[in-house]
C-alpha cells in the first residue's frame, strides 16, 4: 500500500510526522533549523502549513528532478487547492487573473514564454554585458566617492539598482523611474512587515498600472525594446490582450529585480565568510561562472516551489493524490548528499551543474542567462574595485527575510 | 550517436548551449538547435551531460551503429 496524505487533512501546529513549514533561516544562506531532520527522512516527506494543511515536501534531488517536469503537477495558483505558504500570498491570489508565466500551466505558459524568450537568449544577453558592466561601474563610482570607513548598505547602493537598471533597459522602462520599481518590487517579492499582504498587493497593482500607461505611451512613440516588440508583434497583431501584456511585463520587471539583487547580496556575504575562496576569485576571474552556479546552489534563494497535483502520482512508495499540495524545496534538493559531496560546504571549484537554484521543468527561470551574467559582472567588479570590502556589522546581526518569501537580507551594511 | 531536439518541448533555457556550445545553439526564437553537421555530437564529451541538464528532457540521444 503506498503512503498517502489521507486524513487528517489538516493538523493544528505540525507534528513530528509533519513539522510546521516553512522555517525561518537564521543565517541567510545556511539551512534553517529542522532541515537536517527533513533531509534525513526520505526524499519525500510531509509538512504542515500555516493554515494547518498538510502538504508533501520533496527534498531529494533525483526525485525532485523527476517531479518538476511531471505534467500532472500544476502551477495553477488559481486552483483553490494550490498550497500557499503564508496568509499574504492567500490575499495576493484574490487577483482576477493568475500571474503570467509563473502561475499558469501549458499551453498558456508556453505561449507566454515564447513571446518573450528571444530577448533572454544567450546572444542577446552577451550583447547586454557591456551595459551591465557600465551600470556596475557607475554604481561603484558613486559608492567609492564616499570616504573609506563609511558604512553603506550594499543592497540599496549596488545589489538592487544594478539588476533594476538592466531589466529596465531590456524591457524599455525609463530608468529615471527605477526607484519607483525598486521599492515596489521589493514589497511584492520580499516584504515581510506587518501589513505585508496589503502592501504587496498594492505594490503589484501600482506597477501594473504604471506599465499599462507605459504601453499607451509606447504605442504613440515606439522604440526598440522588448516591450516595444511585444506591442508591435503581439498586441497589435491580436495575439495577446492588453491586460495580459501588462501583467507579463509586471512579472518580468518584478522578477528581474529582487532575485538577482538578493543573490548578489548573499553571494557577497557568503564569500566574505570564506576569504580563501574570495581570494581565489579575485586572483582568477575565469572561475566566476562556476562560482556563480555554486553560489546559486548554496544559497537556494527561491527555496520553496509549490505545485498542486491534478492527478494521482505514485512515486517512491508514496501516492500523491489529485488535489494534494506539493512543495519542492530547492535548498534541500541542492544539498542532497546523494547529488553533491559535502553539500553544506561552499566550494566555488565544484561542478554544481545539477543544482535546481533556477528551478527545473517548464518553469525553469527564463532570465537565468541574464541573471548569471549580472551576477558574474556584479561580483567580479565589486571584488576587483573594492579590495578591502568587509561587513560593517557582525554577520549574525544582519536581518534575514521571512521564510515564505524569496530569501535574502533586509540590508547589507558594508565598509572598505 | 545522433542528437535530436524536440522543439515543441524546448523552453529555451539554453542549458545545452551553455554546456556544449560546440554542438548546440539557439535560433532566433530562443529555442535550442543542433548546429548543422554536429548531429553526431562531434566527439564532445559533455553531450550526455547537456541532455541530462535539459529541464524538460527535450534532447534525445540515439545510439547509431559504428561503421
Amino acid at each position: 500500500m503506498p503512503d498517502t496524505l489521507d486524513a487528517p487533512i489538516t493538523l493544528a501546529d505540525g507534528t513530528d510526522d509533519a513539522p510546521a513549514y516553512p522555517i525561518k533561516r537564521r543565517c541567510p544562506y545556511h539551512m534553517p533549523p529542522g532541515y537536517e531532520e527533513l533531509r534525513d527522512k526520505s526524499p519525500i516527506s510531509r509538512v504542515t502549513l500555516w493554515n494547518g494543511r498538510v502538504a508533501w515536501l520533496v527534498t531529494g534531488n533525483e526525485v525532485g528532478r523527476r517531479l518538476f517536469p511531471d505534467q500532472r503537477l500544476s502551477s495553477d495558483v488559481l486552483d483553490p487547492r494550490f498550497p500557499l505558504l503564508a496568509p499574504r500570498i492567500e490575499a495576493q491570489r484574490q487577483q482576477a487573473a493568475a500571474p503570467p508565466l509563473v502561475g499558469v500551466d501549458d499551453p498558456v505558459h508556453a505561449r507566454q514564454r515564447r513571446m518573450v524568450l528571444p530577448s533572454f537568449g544567450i546572444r542577446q544577453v552577451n550583447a547586454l554585458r557591456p551595459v551591465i558592466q557600465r551600470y556596475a561601474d557607475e554604481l561603484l563610482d558613486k559608492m567609492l566617492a564616499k570616504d573609506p570607513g563609511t558604512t553603506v548598505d550594499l543592497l540599496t547602493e549596488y545589489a538592487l539598482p544594478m539588476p533594476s537598471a538592466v531589466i529596465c533597459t531590456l524591457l524599455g522602462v525609463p530608468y529615471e523611474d527605477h526607484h519607483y520599481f525598486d521599492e515596489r518590487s521589493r514589497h511584492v517579492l520580499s516584504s515581510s512587515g506587518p501589513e505585508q499582504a496589503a502592501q504587496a498587493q498594492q505594490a503589484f497593482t501600482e506597477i501594473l498600472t504604471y506599465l499599462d500607461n507605459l504601453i499607451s505611451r509606447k504605442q504613440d512613440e515606439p522604440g526598440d525594446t522588448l516591450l516595444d516588440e511585444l506591442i508591435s508583434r503581439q498586441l497589435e497583431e491580436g495575439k495577446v490582450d492588453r491586460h495580459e501584456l501588462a501583467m507579463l511585463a509586471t512579472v518580468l520587471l518584478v522578477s528581474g529585480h529582487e532575485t538577482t539583487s538578493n543573490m548578489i547580496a548573499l553571494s557577497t556575504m557568503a564569500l566574505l565568510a570564506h576569504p580563501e575562496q574570495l581570494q581565489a576569485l579575485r586572483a582568477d576571474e575565469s572561475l566566476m561562472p562556476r562560482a556563480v552556479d555554486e553560489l546559486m546552489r548554496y544559497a537556494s534563494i527561491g527555496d520553496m516551489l509549490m505545485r498542486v497535483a491534478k492527478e494521482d502520482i505514485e512515486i517512491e512508495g508514496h501516492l500523491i493524490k489529485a488535489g494534494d499540495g506539493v512543495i519542492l524545496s530547492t535548498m534541500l534538493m541542492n544539498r542532497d548528499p546523494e547529488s553533491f559531496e559535502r553539500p553544506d560546504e561552499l566550494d566555488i571549484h565544484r561542478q554544481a551543474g545539477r543544482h535546481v537554484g533556477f528551478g527545473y521543468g517548464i518553469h525553469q527561470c527564463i532570465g537565468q542567462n541574464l541573471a548569471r551574467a549580472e551576477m558574474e559582472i556584479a561580483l567580479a567588479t565589486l571584488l576587483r574595485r573594492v579590495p578591502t570590502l568587509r561587513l560593517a556589522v557582525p554577520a549574525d546581526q544582519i536581518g534575514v527575510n521571512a521564510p515564505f518569501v524569496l530569501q535574502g537580507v533586509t540590508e547589507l551594511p558594508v565598509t572598505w | 550517436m545522433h542528437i535530436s531536439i524536440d522543439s515543441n518541448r524546448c523552453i529555451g533555457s539554453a542549458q545545452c548551449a551553455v554546456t556544449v556550445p560546440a554542438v548546440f545553439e539557439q535560433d532566433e526564437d530562443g529555442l535550442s538547435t543542433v548546429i548543422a553537421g554536429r548531429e553526431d555530437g562531434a566527439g564532445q564529451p559533455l553531450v550526455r551531460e547537456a541532455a541530462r541538464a535539459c529541464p524538460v528532457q527535450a534532447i534525445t540521444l540515439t545510439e547509431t551503429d559504428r561503421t
Side-chain angles (χ1 to χ4, degrees):
Chain A
M1 268 292 284
D3 172 39
T4 65
L5 209 66
D6 284 339
I9 309 262
T10 66
L11 298 169
D13 300 295
T15 63
D16 289 347
D17 179 50
Y21 195 84
I23 308 160
K24 185 167 170 140
R25 293 186 190 181
R26 287 191 183 139
C27 164
Y29 50 79
H30 282 151
M31 294 206 298
Y35 259 38
E36 285 192 40
E37 290 76 8
L38 286 168
R39 179 165 64 181
D40 290 344
K41 267 189 180 170
S42 79
I44 303 180
S45 55
R46 56 192 90 202
V47 289
T48 305
L49 306 181
W50 61 280
N51 53 5
R53 183 173 176 198
V54 176
W56 297 104
L57 181 75
V58 180
T59 63
N61 188 290
E62 281 303 317
V63 174
R65 288 164 71 98
R66 260 189 282 153
L67 282 174
F68 261 125
D70 195 312
Q71 291 178 7
R72 293 170 293 182
L73 284 183
S74 164
S75 293
D76 176 11
V77 294
L78 297 183
D79 186 321
R81 303 166 303 178
F82 193 84
L84 301 168
L85 295 182
R88 61 156 259 189
I89 302 167
E90 176 89 66
Q92 270 170 275
R93 191 166 62 175
Q94 308 304 324
Q95 284 154 191
L101 295 171
V102 291
V104 292
D105 294 325
D106 280 348
V108 175
H109 162 270
R111 179 176 57 79
Q112 292 170 340
R113 186 166 178 124
R114 284 180 182 216
M115 274 197 263
V116 295
L117 194 53
S119 297
F120 294 93
I122 298 175
R123 263 190 302 265
Q124 288 76 2
V125 167
N126 283 338
L128 268 177
R129 277 179 183 264
V131 179
I132 302 172
Q133 183 66 60
R134 197 181 72 228
Y135 288 137
D137 278 318
E138 283 172 3
L139 289 164
L140 285 182
D141 286 345
K142 219 185 284 174
M143 190 176 108
L144 293 172
K146 296 176 184 162
D147 293 330
T150 311
T151 295
V152 304
D153 176 12
L154 193 75
L155 192 63
T156 49
E157 300 289 317
Y158 186 63
L160 186 56
M162 207 277 283
S164 162
V166 174
I167 193 70
C168 284
T169 304
L170 193 148
L171 259 179
V173 172
Y175 184 62
E176 57 267 26
D177 294 338
H178 81 102
H179 286 299
Y180 186 84
F181 302 111
D182 292 359
E183 197 187 329
R184 282 164 183 78
S185 297
R186 222 170 141 59
H187 290 163
V188 174
L189 282 187
S190 301
S191 80
S192 2
E195 283 145 9
Q196 41 197 244
Q199 194 183 43
Q201 177 64 44
Q202 194 195 337
F204 188 90
T205 309
E206 283 170 359
I207 296 178
L208 185 65
T209 306
Y210 173 94
L211 285 170
D212 192 62
N213 291 335
L214 184 62
I215 291 170
S216 300
R217 267 151 56 201
K218 283 185 172 294
Q219 280 178 310
D220 295 338
E221 282 176 64
D224 59 356
T225 66
L226 172 56
L227 197 50
D228 294 292
E229 233 168 83
L230 289 172
I231 291 167
S232 66
R233 285 171 50 179
Q234 308 284 341
L235 182 66
E236 286 169 4
E237 304 264 312
K239 292 180 193 154
V240 64
D241 74 44
R242 196 188 166 93
H243 183 71
E244 186 182 15
L245 179 58
M247 287 276 283
L248 187 58
T250 305
V251 167
L252 292 176
L253 189 67
V254 170
S255 313
H257 272 81
E258 254 334 64
T259 46
T260 318
S261 68
N262 284 349
M263 265 313 292
I264 294 169
L266 287 199
S267 300
T268 304
M269 208 177 152
L271 287 170
L272 287 171
H274 295 81
E276 66 306 331
Q277 300 195 42
L278 184 143
Q279 219 35 60
L281 272 177
R282 267 206 182 103
D284 182 1
E285 285 184 9
S286 72
L287 296 173
M288 198 51 93
R290 189 175 279 198
V292 160
D293 267 307
E294 168 65 354
L295 287 158
M296 283 294 299
R297 181 196 74 82
Y298 188 65
S300 301
I301 59 165
D303 184 3
M304 289 142 284
L305 300 177
M306 283 78 72
R307 302 287 189 266
V308 58
K310 293 277 184 184
E311 294 171 39
D312 290 358
I313 302 170
E314 232 181 305
I315 189 156
E316 297 284 309
H318 304 280
L319 176 62
I320 300 172
K321 287 192 174 166
D324 284 354
V326 178
I327 299 165
L328 296 113
S329 166
T330 62
M331 179 167 241
L332 282 161
M333 287 177 68
N334 283 338
R335 292 179 178 230
D336 180 346
E338 301 278 322
S339 298
F340 300 98
E341 284 178 28
R342 301 166 285 104
D344 297 328
E345 284 176 30
L346 177 72
D347 177 4
I348 57 157
H349 302 286
R350 174 200 302 273
Q351 185 93 48
R354 298 270 170 83
H355 76 79
V356 290
F358 288 111
Y360 199 69
I362 60 167
H363 291 280
Q364 193 180 52
C365 178
I366 194 170
Q368 61 179 297
N369 297 305
L370 180 64
R372 282 195 179 92
E374 290 179 355
M375 286 186 267
E376 285 170 23
I377 293 169
L379 292 172
T381 311
L382 182 68
L383 298 185
R384 192 188 319 130
R385 293 196 51 191
V386 199
T388 57
L389 183 75
R390 58 188 188 276
L391 293 184
V393 298
D396 59 8
Q397 286 178 19
I398 292 173
V400 179
N401 283 358
F404 47 81
V405 294
L406 205 64
Q407 290 301 287
V409 289
T410 53
E411 55 173 359
L412 188 59
V414 298
T415 190
W416 62 94
Chain B
M1 179 167 50
H2 180 81
I3 308 169
S4 59
I5 297 181
D6 180 347
S7 55
N8 286 320
R9 199 175 257 207
C10 178
I11 56 160
S13 76
Q15 297 285 291
C16 56
V18 169
T19 309
V20 194
V23 172
F24 301 97
E25 64 179 358
Q26 283 183 305
D27 65 17
E28 281 180 9
D29 295 326
L31 300 176
S32 287
T33 56
V34 182
I35 296 172
R38 308 272 170 87
E39 292 84 357
D40 62 352
Q44 291 287 320
L46 285 176
V47 167
R48 271 169 218 290
E49 182 57 34
R52 236 192 95 93
C54 176
V56 290
Q57 288 135 30
I59 302 171
T60 308
L61 305 180
T62 323
E63 294 308 326
T64 48
D65 290 333
R66 286 163 196 272
T67 48

